Each structure stands twice: as C-alpha cells, then as structure tokens.
Amino acid sequence: MAGMSTTRVPLIAGNWKMNLDHLQSIAFVQKLAWSLKDAKHGFASVEVAVFPPFTDLRSVQTLISADKLELKFGGQDLSAYDSGAYTGEISGAFLKALDCDYVIIGHSERRTLHHETDEEIGAKVTAAIKHGLVPVLCVGETADDLETHGPSAVPVAQLKAALATAAKGVDIVVAYEPVWAIGSGKAATPAQAEQVAAALRVALVDLIGQEAADATRILYGGSVKASNIAGFMREPNVDGALVGGASLDLSEFSSIAQFQKHVGT
Ligand code: PEP
C-alpha cells in the first residue's frame, strides 16, 4: 500500500468544537488566510479545512466566497434525516446549501456525550453522501479498548459498522483519533498511527473497493501540534490530521498546514 500515498492530497482539518462565535470566526478565517498567503501555501498540495460551529457557517461561507479563499469548510455533525420534526438537528441539505465540502461524523465527543451508536453514525454517513458532503468519519479506541483489544480492533470495527451499507467507490475521509490522545497532550506515536491507519486501509478495500480505498485520506487526530505533525506525515498511510485544540491557535494551525516545510526537522 505504501507508494499509493502520492495520489492522495493531504488534508489538514481544524475541528473548532464549541469555540469562536460567528464574529470571531470571520476574524480567525481572515487571519488564517493571510497567514497561509504570506507563507505562499500551495492549496493544491495540502488542503486546509475548518469546521466551525453551525452558527458560524454562513459567515465563513460568505467570507470564503467573497474573498475567493481556497480554504474548505464543513460542519461538525449532521442529522441522519433530511428534514422534519427533529428539534435542534441540522440537515445535510442545509450544510450543502451553505457550500460545505465536508462534515465530521462520529467524533468521540458525540459518541460519548451524545451516546451516538455505530448504527446512527452509519445513517449519518449515508445522509452526508446523499447530500453531496464528504464525511470525515472519526474512529478510535479508548485506553481500556487498547489494553483489552489491542490497537486496531475497535477502530476497524467502528469503520466496518459505519460503512456497512456504503456503496463501492464512495468519497470519504477517515480520521483515526485514539480517544486517549484527544485533548490529552499525549499524542500517539507516528508508528502507532501508521499501524492503525494501515489496518483501516485494508478494511476499506473490502468496504468500498480497492480504488476508493487507495484514494481515501486517512487522518490522524489527537494532540497534533506544529512540533509533532511532521512525524505523522512521514508515515505512508497517514494523509493528514484532524486538529482540535491547536486549530484555534492561528500560528500553530498555520504551521501544521505547512508541515511540508518542516518535514525532516
Ligand atoms: C479532536 O477533537 O478532533 C482532536 C484531535 O483534539 P486535540 O487536537 O485537541 O487532541
């Protein structure tokens, strides 16, 4: 499978979680765009995406479209349903109408705090694809899972459950986020991330076919910073990062996006 990575454009994705209101989002995206422009960032060689709260999306869309910025953006969740009596939920159709490219699905905080099941996550993946959004499907094991089942069993099982009914050839992004590494400051090692990413790619072959599996970006997430991104990006099956805390720090996130400049440091 190594060697196929040349065909995958790396993706650096910032999950803002419940941070930055719509006014703050405008200021942040503007500064991020300036910072990347100053650094002559090549968006064709490294894609950069932000995932603001729902209430920011219209502002972010307007700014990106008016200033013709090359940043991508998406929602942090969506409903499995198209429309109807689902108070508080957001349809994939609404996200698509705001020009979202991506939507995060199955983040560990939603699995834990909102008790989202593999079945619901699978239904959300189906809904995202139906509405023309690329799901960023999050999978990952807890510290207990790691001890009990080893490194890749739980993330692979979550992937299989979420993609059980997916068609061959679908366009998805997978984010491997060990729960013990999220927000803990204790990132996985590049070798640990590679081991699970490689197992996920093998599972993807059965689920969505060889060609789509080779084309799927598998991100690592969990305490990624400017100082550790290069190690992850050297791994053949790691095609980017889903960044939480550090995505809210302009210079950190900008530097993570420019990892190609510090690979080897
Ligand atoms: C996340 O929540 O997706 C994440 C990876 O968080 P952090 O980078 O803060 O560990």
Side-chain angles (χ1 to χ4, degrees), residues 118 139-142 145-146 149-159 200:
D118 280 331
V139 298
E141 82 288 356
T142 64
D145 292 335
L146 183 62
H149 305 286
S152 54
V154 168
V156 166
Q158 289 173 340
L159 183 82
L200 290 169

Side-chain angles (χ1 to χ4, degrees), residues 15 17 107 109 138 177 181-185 221-224 242-246:
N15 172 16
K17 311 192 186 191
H107 190 278
E109 285 149 20
C138 300
E177 299 209 308
I182 296 177
S184 66
S223 299
V224 169
L242 183 53
V243 184

Side-chain angles (χ1 to χ4, degrees), residues 192-227:
Q192 280 176 309
E194 171 61 18
Q195 183 183 6
V196 178
L200 290 169
R201 199 174 304 284
V202 168
L204 280 171
V205 175
D206 272 347
L207 294 163
I208 61 172
Q210 183 77 55
E211 207 178 314
D214 287 341
T216 299
R217 272 90 54 90
I218 300 179
L219 315 183
Y220 166 74
S223 299
V224 169
K225 301 178 288 228
S227 60

Side-chain angles (χ1 to χ4, degrees), residues 110-131:
R110 297 213 58 92
R111 290 179 190 260
T112 309
L113 303 172
H114 298 269
H115 312 290
E116 286 191 13
T117 62
D118 280 331
E119 196 183 13
E120 285 170 304
I121 290 163
K124 289 183 176 195
V125 168
T126 304
I129 292 166
K130 172 178 176 184
H131 293 295

